[in-house]
């Protein structure tokens, strides 16, 4: 046997051994348990509160929902209620809009945006003319800077920074008051919210031998470090914004007078 053939065999054996070792040590792809896959989301899944040229939209029915005389006179239905018939959002998020009725105009397409904080995922419709808003919506409306500053406040523990953010928030709210009297201002009107049940980062679970497995779990962290959240995917858990169960009863007893 020549030296060349011996060398070739040795090299082949070495390559085979390297491939074997690599195959044994390579980590398997990790994933969440099946029962958690639907309810755990990356915070980035909800976008970055885009108000200009938003790609997410809802379209309303051609006709306003039929309400009784009493229902149509309630403050919560001042501008009429209309069913959402089409939703342009990522497929994983469509459950949030299932069976949704909203205050708005019939046969209209509304751009929407989403925001995540440590307590809720909130959906907003974006409007440019405050005159189409109900009295209740004018009380709840926000502007982008206002939402972003409130989110930043949840992430900081530095008192000096908190004071600075609060000053900026006060200014943003003053600007919102001015925006309500103008057209072509991007106003964020909350449609609903889903409660955040937990938040943290994803990491591989470990077995009894302290070895990492292919199963992911969400480890709780400070909100400032969180990359993922868990929320209900049941549309019945959709909550109104700014109107809790007690105050909704009061609002429904408040009739709109001409």
């Amino acid at each position: 046997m020549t030296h060349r053939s011996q060398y070739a065999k040795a090299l082949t054996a070495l390559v085979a051994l390297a491939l074997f070792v690599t195959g044994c040590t390579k980590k398997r792809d990790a994933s969440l348990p099946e029962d958690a896959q639907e309810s755990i989301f990356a915070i980035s899944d909800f976008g970055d509160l885009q108000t200009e040229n938003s790609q997410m939209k809802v379209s309303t029915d051609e006709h306003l929902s039929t309400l009784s005389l009493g229902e149509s006179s309630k403050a919560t239905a001042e501008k009429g209620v209309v069913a959402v018939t089409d939703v342009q959002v990522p497929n994983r998020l469509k459950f949030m809009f299932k069976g949704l009725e909203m205050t708005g105009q019939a046969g209209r397409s509304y751009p929407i945006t989403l925001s995540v904080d440590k307590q809720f995922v909130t959906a907003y419709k974006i409007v440019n003319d405050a005159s189409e808003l109900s009295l209740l919506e004018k009380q709840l409306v926000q502007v982008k800077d206002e939402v972003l500053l409130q989110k930043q406040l949840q992430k900081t523990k530095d008192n000096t920074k908190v004071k600075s953010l609060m000053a900026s928030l006060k200014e943003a709210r003053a600007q919102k008051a001015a925006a309500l009297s103008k057209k072509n201002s991007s106003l964020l009107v909350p449609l609903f919210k889903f409660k955040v049940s937990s938040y943290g980062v994803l990491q591989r679970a470990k077995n009894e031998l302290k070895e990492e497995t292919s199963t992911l779990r969400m480890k709780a962290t400070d909100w400032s470090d969180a990359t993922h959240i868990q929320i209900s995917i049941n549309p019945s858990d959709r909550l109104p914004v700014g109107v809790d169960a007690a105050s909704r009863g009061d609002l429904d007893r408040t009739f709109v007078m001409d």
Side-chain angles (χ1 to χ4, degrees), residues 48-84:
D48 56 357
L49 197 67
Q50 185 174 359
T51 58
E52 302 295 332
N53 301 314
S54 175
Q55 298 302 306
M56 294 188 287
K57 294 180 175 61
V58 295
S59 298
T60 60
D61 191 71
E62 292 296 324
H63 304 281
L64 292 175
S65 300
T66 302
L67 303 175
S68 68
L69 179 59
E71 289 174 331
S72 63
S73 298
K74 294 173 182 176
T76 48
E78 177 195 348
K79 291 286 186 175
V81 175
V82 65
V84 170

Side-chain angles (χ1 to χ4, degrees), residues 12-29:
T12 301
L14 183 60
V15 171
L17 178 61
L19 291 173
F20 175 77
V21 171
T22 300
C24 291
T25 58
K26 183 180 179 181
K27 287 185 178 180
R28 289 182 293 169
D29 291 338

